[in-house]
Amino acid sequence: MNRIDLEIGQTVLLELEDECLLGKVSHVASDRSFIRLSDVRDTSTKKNYGVQTYYNSEIRCVQVVASDYRPKLEASCRSDGGVVRSKQLTLDNLNSTLEQISNYVFIHQTDAKYHDTVRFLKQQHHFGIAMESIELGRHSKTSSLLTIATLDSIYIFDIKWMKITDDLRDLLGNDRYRRVLYNGRLVSDTLLHKFGVPLGKCFDLMVAHIAISKTAERPVENTVSLQQCVQSYLQLPDKFFDMTIDFNVRPLNDAAKREAAKNAVFLLPLQDLFVHEIMLEPFYQSCVRYSQSLSGNADYINSLADLRNKGPEAVEAIEPARLGINVELTNVTERGPTTERVSE
């Protein structure tokens, strides 16, 4: 069991060899040899096991998800330094995210499972993509995994063995699909120079994160890891990500597959947060003001209707709110092929 301070009343995520459980701490042995949890639930099957005792030898990892100490919880939900926190991945719906991670589909050959998956993905128009072992782009020793995440499913393709098939090439390059990724610079370089696959139009979360941070005048590096970005916006347990995983080892173990799923499961929720809660927030506010410009004048309209007995004319007398919307387009200056940084 990893070293972590546990207190009675905390809700913890317990990772065993073959299952992932949520429960509330009711007792911790003084020598940390075992812990007792109440209201234990399997994150995949939703089955409730009641009160259970788990020994150190059978626990692979334990993470604190929430505490009964209310002031601490409320403080953790506030925005830090103006950062907007997503409401999608709080404790209330963390279960569904963990279930999605646990229910990944792993594909290492073009069999019936592969064809069923491709058939399903080609019916989608919006998904996230992530790749493992591409830290050096085209110069990476080998590319290990390609993960595609929809709103409720995760598919992991072992491209170390099966390479990039024509079906995957279409999913990655055809602009009929709306793709979301993180740090597309490395993904695009790897796909083009190692597999000959030109990457189509994508929404890059790292570019969005940096642009949002600079607009809010928050300090930000020119390169930020996916894990750092996720932890900035989503309320997740500490050490949720395991940065020690080696994705190049074969056969690939379950821990590596789950970690690949984690690296893709947050792409669509993050895009939704960036677009609808941050980037388009001024636009939504303008829409609200416009929609209320008539309904907010009920007394005036009613008085005119009473005097003139001409309701339609009274409604027409209220002018719509003026829409002074300035749309700013952020252009990334193109630089030479040897450039290592995006110009500010």
Side-chain angles (χ1 to χ4, degrees), residues 28-72:
V28 181
S30 58
D31 59 355
R32 293 177 54 87
S33 60
F34 70 90
I35 60 174
R36 184 170 294 116
L37 305 181
S38 61
D39 192 25
V40 177
R41 289 166 290 157
D42 190 300
T43 59
S44 298
T45 64
K46 306 298 184 183
K47 185 176 180 180
N48 194 305
Y49 297 106
V51 178
Q52 297 288 328
T53 299
Y54 299 97
Y55 289 87
N56 190 27
S57 58
E58 60 182 324
I59 299 174
R60 298 182 58 179
C61 182
V62 58
Q63 302 175 42
V64 177
V65 177
S67 170
D68 273 350
Y69 184 45
R70 296 299 176 187
K72 183 185 295 185

Side-chain angles (χ1 to χ4, degrees), residues 134-298:
I134 61 167
E135 292 79 6
L136 299 177
R138 75 187 77 176
H139 300 297
S140 301
K141 184 177 180 180
T142 180
S143 303
S144 178
L145 303 172
L146 168 67
T147 306
I148 300 181
T150 66
L151 290 173
D152 54 10
S153 305
I154 299 176
Y155 302 93
I156 304 173
F157 297 88
D158 190 345
I159 58 175
K160 184 174 182 177
W161 295 118
M162 60 185 297
K163 305 303 180 183
I164 301 290
T165 64
D166 289 341
D167 295 312
L168 294 178
R169 178 186 293 265
D170 181 66
L171 291 169
L172 294 169
N174 194 323
D175 281 343
R176 69 182 293 267
Y177 304 108
R178 291 189 291 134
R179 290 166 288 265
V180 180
L181 47 63
Y182 195 89
N183 197 347
R185 183 169 175 267
L186 292 177
V187 175
S188 178
D189 188 68
T190 301
L191 288 175
L192 183 61
H193 293 284
K194 292 184 75 70
F195 298 99
V197 178
L199 180 64
K201 184 168 59 178
C202 296
F203 185 100
D204 194 321
L205 293 172
M206 191 179 81
V207 174
H209 168 63
I210 293 174
I212 290 169
S213 299
K214 289 187 175 181
T215 300
E217 298 183 346
R218 292 194 303 269
V220 62
E221 300 291 335
N222 280 333
T223 301
V224 182
S225 72
L226 169 66
Q227 292 76 18
Q228 289 174 313
C229 181
V230 170
Q231 293 287 16
S232 297
Y233 296 95
L234 306 180
Q235 300 171 29
L236 296 175
D238 294 335
K239 299 181 180 179
F240 183 86
F241 295 99
D242 185 354
M243 305 303 293
T244 65
I245 293 291
D246 185 353
F247 292 102
N248 284 314
V249 175
R250 293 297 185 276
L252 203 65
N253 59 36
D254 291 339
K257 296 173 186 176
R258 281 195 298 271
E259 204 62 29
K262 290 180 187 178
N263 291 339
V265 73
F266 301 113
L267 296 176
L268 296 184
L270 268 180
Q271 187 204 31
D272 185 82
L273 168 69
F274 286 170
V275 172
H276 296 289
E277 296 185 42
I278 300 177
M279 292 178 169
L280 289 181
E281 181 60 23
F283 174 75
Y284 282 131
Q285 290 299 322
S286 295
C287 291
V288 170
R289 287 194 294 271
Y290 182 79
S291 66
Q292 294 176 350
S293 63
L294 183 60
S295 62
N297 286 276

